[in-house]
Amino acid sequence: MIQQQPNFELLESLLWEPKNGYFLLDRHLERLERSADYFNFPLSLTEASKALQALSMTCGSVKQKIRLTISCKGNITLQAQTLDSGILHIGASVGIARKPIDSQSPFLYHKTTYRLPYTMALESQPEYQDVFLWNQDGVITESTIANIAIDTPAGLITPPVKCGLLPGTFRSQLLEEGKIREELITLDDLRSTQNLFLINSVRGWIRLKKKANRDVWKVVSNG
């Protein structure tokens, strides 16, 4: 357990679809439980599940992004909004953060409302909609809102969690299915990659293509 924590809540962002309900719900709840145990937050998965089920009855006929937060006292808050293309719309630019993240920070491994490492990385490159993060060893970790998978001759690879990144639910599903595998990705590896994907459970696959002679990738397809 870390000391002198900033004020924060546990957070899960879920995709709700009219025909299929919540995408990867069990994985989201399992991750939420792990984070609650780590930070010593009281959590009732039964209450969270009931609240999500009740909210789903009001979601209508279009895809929704559901924001679930748990306070340090165990209070549950839910918000729903119609799913849009977000910051990684087609044509959005993704660059490389100027400074490394500290892979020892527990907030990189748990989804919370404490976003300082991510906002600092974005502010270091304000001309881009998102940035790729890298750690003190020069190893790529993720972007500020998604896991990364780069295309190699041997298939799609994604960095191991130990590098300092969120164990995304969609990432975990793809690993289990054998569609991606874990392997270290260095800054040089990234810079030589023409095609890659950002992945998360709300947006799915976001495909990016590198601009010629620049360390910038453009979103070419979203979802």
Side-chain angles (χ1 to χ4, degrees), residues 16-203:
W16 181 88
E17 300 173 291
K19 291 185 178 180
N20 302 315
Y22 291 106
F23 182 51
L24 301 179
L25 176 59
D26 288 345
R27 289 189 183 275
H28 280 286
L29 293 177
E30 288 168 5
R31 184 173 68 181
L32 185 63
E33 186 174 38
R34 289 195 300 271
S35 294
D37 287 344
Y38 180 85
F39 290 111
N40 197 28
F41 276 36
L43 170 65
S44 169
L45 287 182
T46 299
E47 288 184 14
S49 297
K50 287 181 178 179
L52 285 166
Q53 178 62 26
L55 180 65
S56 71
M57 305 302 290
T58 69
C59 285
S61 59
V62 295
K63 291 181 180 181
Q64 301 280 327
K65 178 182 177 181
I66 309 300
R67 177 184 169 93
L68 164 66
T69 57
I70 307 291
S71 75
C72 62
K73 295 183 179 180
N75 297 324
I76 300 169
T77 302
L78 290 172
Q79 295 176 312
Q81 65 180 62
T82 302
L83 186 66
D84 57 25
S85 59
I87 64 172
L88 291 178
H89 51 81
I90 293 176
S93 297
V94 182
I96 301 175
R98 291 191 182 276
K99 296 181 180 180
I101 53 94
D102 177 8
S103 63
Q104 300 302 308
S105 170
F107 290 99
L108 297 172
Y109 301 91
H110 300 273
K111 193 169 180 68
T112 75
T113 57
Y114 180 71
R115 298 281 302 171
L116 185 60
Y118 307 107
T119 56
M120 289 179 63
L122 282 171
E123 289 170 358
S124 77
Q125 296 281 36
E127 65 269 40
Y128 303 126
Q129 282 71 56
D130 197 4
V131 291
F132 296 116
L133 307 178
W134 49 285
N135 66 21
Q136 65 277 0
D137 298 318
V139 172
I140 298 299
T141 58
E142 58 188 342
S143 86
T144 68
I145 61 169
N147 293 125
I148 182 174
I150 71 171
D151 205 359
T152 75
L156 291 168
I157 62 173
T158 193
V161 170
K162 66 181 181 181
C163 297
L165 56 104
L166 183 72
T169 56
F170 191 41
R171 173 188 180 277
S172 297
Q173 181 75 15
L174 295 172
L175 284 168
E176 185 176 293
E177 294 172 349
K179 294 179 179 178
I180 61 176
R181 59 185 175 83
E182 290 185 328
E183 189 173 311
L184 293 180
I185 301 172
T186 66
L187 277 165
D188 287 341
D189 292 333
L190 177 65
R191 290 186 169 113
S192 64
T193 298
Q194 300 300 310
N195 297 289
L196 56 82
F197 296 90
L198 289 175
I199 51 175
N200 70 34
S201 64
V202 175
R203 308 290 174 183

